[in-house]
Amino acid sequence: MKDIRKMLKAQAKGVLPDEKLKESIKQELGYRAAEEASVLARADGGSEQVKSKRKVMFPLVAFAVILLVLAIVLPLALPGSSPTVLPGGNKFADITNADSFYAYGAASVGSLLASESDTSPVRAMKDGAAQEEKHIETVNRYMALVEGLLSEDAIETTAAEGAYGFEYGMKIGYTDLLGNAAYYTLYYNKHFLSSEQEEDETEEEYAIEGVLVAEGKTYPVSGNYETESEEDETEGELFFRAYLDDAKNSYIEVTQEYESENEEGDQEVEREYVYSRYENGKRVERTTVEYEAEEGELELKLTIEQENVRDELVFESARRGGEMVLLAEGKLSGEDVRFTVYIREGGYHYVFEDGSSSDHDRYDDDHDDDDDDDDDDRPWRGRDSASV
């Protein structure tokens, strides 16, 4: 994503005027003549250097000409209009306890569930994009998650009354890159499983069970939050799971494994979030999501594994030509790829390096899942929340 800076460094010799061109500009402007004229003969046969305002002006004129040359040549050396990379926040840093993890799990898994329920075939595809079509369809299911993680706004939670027979409620707000908010509601019971304290070591374990309301549908959920602390080191293993069938053999799960070390006041935290999709008890897809910071810019790395296929993409949010875009590069089926995703209401427009493009549906959540069933204390029955 740092192509502009790298290109300027790599092509500096080819873009900037060389010494021969500079010398030619000086000759055309009479710079040498001005230098010679500034040396005047003295009566004793010597010479005298005379300060001249004209001599100072010529270099300034030459510099202006060089700037003019740059204004003409430099845009020609850069392919296309350069995007403005946007700032983003590392939402993983805000996950510090069980409640914040469950909120993140509900929001991120909810966005995946909503995207899958809204998936439709490619609407249009120009010649040359056939090779990428299958992979882009898979990537497109994660675009709502990518948007949410690269947006500036934090995930917001609000306490809600319990429902569906569960004691607690939590409403979660999640903002995309167009500023639209998606809302999901989690109703749950929480259980304190165990706590052990032995000298300088502490272990704690919590669990939840409940339902997640996403896009008017309810999904049974379960979660576990286990941490282990010892002196300046903390480890944890967490998961949040939304079931897709009554038998609970098919589900989407997000897990977090992290390690935190504090050495001499310098804290180092390693986090990795993994989304797994299971069908009939078998894992069919595994996706790892992590933040990467380079030269002060935040990127999101997505690694998708299906059977023997491994795709890796790095995303960065930007604005180009007045539109919100995602700049992506990486590997699809082992091939290097680079493309731009234009984010529009109702759709994603993918543009590849070879000029080909394709259009996919974009999930737009303008629904508020804080439904009118807050006083309904019946448990989940596998139906849409509107009909419960």
Side-chain angles (χ1 to χ4, degrees), residues 1 61 66 82 99 224 267 315 326 329 345 363:
M1 301 300 176
V61 174
I66 292 174
S82 59
D99 286 343
N224 197 75
Q267 186 174 18
F315 292 91
L326 286 167
E329 65 176 76
E345 297 289 352
Y363 171 69

Side-chain angles (χ1 to χ4, degrees), residues 143-264:
M143 293 307 294
L145 177 63
V146 172
E147 278 196 64
L149 291 177
L150 286 177
S151 66
E152 292 186 53
D153 296 332
I155 297 174
E156 296 185 355
T157 61
T158 304
E161 295 290 334
Y164 299 99
F166 297 102
E167 183 178 1
Y168 302 99
M170 180 190 299
K171 183 176 179 179
I172 304 105
Y174 205 36
T175 305
D176 62 28
L177 286 174
L178 294 185
N180 300 320
Y183 294 98
Y184 309 99
T185 308
L186 178 66
Y187 298 105
Y188 61 100
N189 290 330
K190 54 185 178 181
H191 307 283
F192 177 75
L193 299 181
S194 66
S195 177
E196 295 183 12
Q197 179 74 42
E198 185 176 343
E199 294 182 355
D200 57 353
E201 182 176 345
T202 302
E203 293 185 12
E204 294 181 332
E205 186 173 3
Y206 302 84
I208 66 166
E209 59 178 348
V211 295
L212 174 65
V213 183
E215 186 56 11
K217 296 183 179 181
T218 55
Y219 301 87
V221 298
S222 64
N224 197 75
Y225 186 92
E226 182 178 1
T227 62
E228 180 178 341
S229 301
E230 182 177 2
E231 293 183 349
D232 294 330
E233 183 176 346
T234 301
E235 296 181 0
E237 185 173 351
L238 309 85
F239 77 80
F240 180 88
R241 183 181 299 167
Y243 299 95
L244 307 178
D245 61 355
D246 292 333
K248 297 185 177 181
N249 290 325
S250 300
Y251 54 89
I252 294 178
E253 175 186 81
V254 55
T255 62
Q256 180 209 65
E257 293 185 3
Y258 74 88
E259 183 174 347
S260 176
E261 295 185 12
N262 192 341
E263 295 183 1
E264 298 180 358

Side-chain angles (χ1 to χ4, degrees), residues 320-337:
R320 170 178 279 164
E323 288 192 81
M324 288 298 305
V325 301
L326 286 167
L327 309 176
E329 65 176 76
K331 289 184 179 292
L332 292 177
S333 288
E335 297 292 330
D336 292 332
V337 295

